[in-house]
Amino acid sequence: MPELPEVETVRRALESALLGRVLTAYRVGKPTFYRRPPERVLKVLPGRALDGVRRRGKYLLLDFAGEELSLHLGMSGRIVIVPDGGPDGPHTRLTLSFGERALRFEDARRFGRAGCRLPPLGPEPLDPAFDADALAAALRGRAAPIKALLLDQRVVAGIGNIYATEALFRAGIRPRRASGRLRREEVARLCAAIKEVIAQAVELRGSTLEDESFLDPEGRPGLAQKMLRAYGRETGACGHPLKDARPRIGGRTSLYCPLCQC
DNA sequence: CGTAGACCCTGGAAGC
DNA sequence: TGCTTCCAGGGTCTAC
């Protein structure tokens, strides 16, 4: 479940491994992602140098001398740096060759994407422009549960189920609270909690849960799972048993502490 | 426009 | 043991 901190960790690893290298070839896996990467985007890349690796929300943006290739890891996507020329794995969906190294995009569930247009995205959570005023404006008049809006990439970009759960736990706000009914002080607390948890998780290079669903492109696990206070736990860091909000919010499990979150 | 829910996918866990 | 069912959740699409 790569979210902003995991994607940022991938970005940094790609930058240090591949920046300045020339893309020599690409190969689309069989089968590839369930949405096929558009050939017209890929075919202009060979011969061009990778001169930038950026991130926007959960999207990676590879800059090739004015041409941009977007990558989204979906749920189970994983980017690995390997020696070029090795055999594909069973879940290799796209390979980008850079001389002696290659970027391999593995994705068991095939929800990942490459070469897609970016949808409208809200502010980056760590951008100073994303503050309590901005969040309050986005929530004003909205009846949807706050958890659903935190997962809505148009409200704020890069947050998924792990860090939405954590931010609400830290802010002491129940996931089903009507967004527009949060008090001003609660919105400010939530905004601060989002920034805090995202910044810490980036610093700790993302969360690697027990299923090891996230490893960076060099195969290293992250450490942010150690600071999770609610996600994936039966007992919160507060010492109280967590509840799973039913019915689900936005189709996702929503753990919260009935005592500490109001 | 806002909201809720179905759908895309498949490995692994749980149930029988 | 081996089969079936359920679950995980990124994003997108449709119905209301």
Side-chain angles (χ1 to χ4, degrees):
Chain A
M1 298 128 254
E3 306 179 24
L4 189 157
E6 290 75 30
V7 178
E8 176 62 20
T9 301
V10 172
R11 189 198 69 75
R12 293 176 183 184
L14 293 184
E15 195 172 65
S16 75
L18 298 177
L19 191 67
R21 290 174 183 261
V22 173
L23 185 141
T24 54
Y26 65 86
R27 187 166 64 254
V28 176
K30 314 187 279 281
T32 185
F33 309 106
Y34 88 99
R35 289 185 194 246
R36 191 176 184 80
E39 207 69 34
R40 67 166 191 289
V41 176
L42 294 171
K43 73 179 183 194
V44 300
L45 302 179
R48 291 171 181 260
L50 180 69
D51 56 15
V53 185
R54 293 175 293 126
R55 180 193 56 72
R56 179 76 175 94
K58 300 176 194 170
Y59 290 83
L60 281 167
L61 301 168
L62 308 189
D63 294 320
F64 289 95
E67 297 286 342
E68 178 183 283
L69 180 69
S70 65
L71 301 176
H72 193 292
L73 298 172
M75 254 198 62
S76 53
R78 185 177 290 184
I79 285 175
V80 196
I81 300 294
V82 294
D84 194 17
D88 284 356
H91 302 132
T92 302
R93 309 302 176 192
L94 177 69
T95 306
L96 304 179
S97 298
F98 293 87
E100 67 268 28
R101 290 179 188 168
L103 179 164
R104 201 196 267 163
F105 195 152
E106 312 269 1
D107 189 3
R109 285 180 187 73
R110 301 178 58 209
F111 283 162
R113 296 181 72 177
C116 56
R117 299 181 75 126
L118 265 57
L121 295 171
E124 289 288 320
L126 296 182
D127 189 328
F130 177 70
D131 59 12
D133 286 340
L135 182 57
L139 304 185
R140 193 164 298 135
R142 303 288 300 266
I146 184 59
K147 173 87 180 287
L149 292 196
L150 291 184
L151 295 174
D152 185 338
Q153 303 299 296
R154 294 167 297 187
V155 171
V156 54
I159 297 178
N161 204 31
I162 295 176
Y163 300 111
T165 299
E166 290 302 307
L168 288 166
F169 179 86
R170 291 187 184 208
I173 297 169
R174 291 202 188 204
R176 210 182 293 285
R177 289 279 301 282
S179 301
R181 298 250 167 100
L182 293 184
R183 297 191 307 274
R184 171 66 202 201
E185 151 211 340
E186 292 175 316
V187 175
R189 233 159 54 209
L190 180 56
C191 183
I194 290 168
K195 288 176 181 285
E196 180 186 80
V197 74
I198 293 292
Q200 285 181 8
V202 167
E203 178 75 18
L204 293 170
R205 300 178 18 258
S207 295
T208 298
L209 305 175
E210 288 186 11
D211 61 1
E212 298 212 332
S213 57
F214 171 71
L215 295 173
D216 83 2
E218 311 288 356
R220 297 173 296 223
L223 299 171
Q225 68 282 359
K226 296 176 188 294
M227 60 104 184
L228 299 182
R229 300 181 189 176
Y231 186 87
R233 301 172 51 140
E234 289 187 7
T235 303
C238 54
H240 306 131
L242 300 178
K243 275 186 73 171
D244 181 6
R246 297 279 177 165
R248 302 181 156 200
I249 305 166
R252 271 71 179 148
T253 51
S254 296
L255 295 171
Y256 71 99
C257 174
L259 297 175
C260 301
Q261 290 172 265
C262 308

